Amino acid sequence: MAWKITYFSQKVEEDTYKFPPGILADFLHIASLIEEFGPNLGSPYTKAFGNGLFEIRAKGREGIARSFFCFVKGKEIIILHSFIKKSQKTPKKEIDLALKRMKEVII
């Protein structure tokens, strides 16, 4: 069975698809790899943040974006939060929002 990617909410899906074209193309490429091979792709595509939180590391000539995700039962992945990265380090508020949403979906 292939992996299935879903979104935490309609807003998260909209935020993700509003990425600039180059970044969106990279995100969609990584998402297709995840659907085929699973989320443990490793660098440069994904990174584990610990406690069941992971990130998709999309980039393009316009910059860098991150999409946090987690696993739920079976082979389902939920994109919890997507944003354009503006600093070297991922802001704590972005991680905290993803962790809060992860607690809502993992039972």
Side-chain angles (χ1 to χ4, degrees):
M1 177 180 151
W3 289 80
K4 178 182 177 190
I5 295 177
T6 58
Y7 293 85
F8 177 79
S9 67
Q10 183 71 29
K11 181 174 180 346
V12 172
E13 185 172 9
E14 289 169 2
D15 289 347
T16 303
Y17 284 93
K18 285 182 187 173
F19 285 164
I23 297 172
L24 180 59
D26 194 42
F27 171 85
L28 294 173
H29 171 70
I30 295 168
S32 70
L33 291 173
I34 289 172
E35 287 175 330
E36 186 174 349
F37 300 109
N40 296 323
L41 299 174
S43 187
Y45 305 114
T46 62
K47 177 183 174 187
F49 254 77
N51 298 323
L53 184 66
F54 300 84
E55 70 175 357
I56 293 174
R57 305 164 59 91
K59 62 184 175 184
R61 56 181 154 58
E62 306 94 341
I64 298 171
R66 296 292 185 253
S67 294
F68 287 110
F69 68 91
C70 67
F71 303 37
V72 291
K73 62 183 183 267
K75 290 188 169 186
E76 184 178 1
I77 292 168
I78 298 180
I79 305 290
L80 301 164
H81 179 50
S82 294
F83 64 99
I84 299 293
K85 195 169 173 195
K86 295 183 172 83
S87 61
Q88 185 76 14
K89 190 171 179 183
T90 301
K92 184 174 178 350
K93 70 175 189 148
E94 307 290 359
I95 299 168
D96 289 345
L97 178 58
L99 287 169
K100 178 181 175 272
R101 290 177 176 173
M102 186 172 76
K103 288 177 186 172
E104 291 179 34
V105 297
I106 294 184
I107 300 168

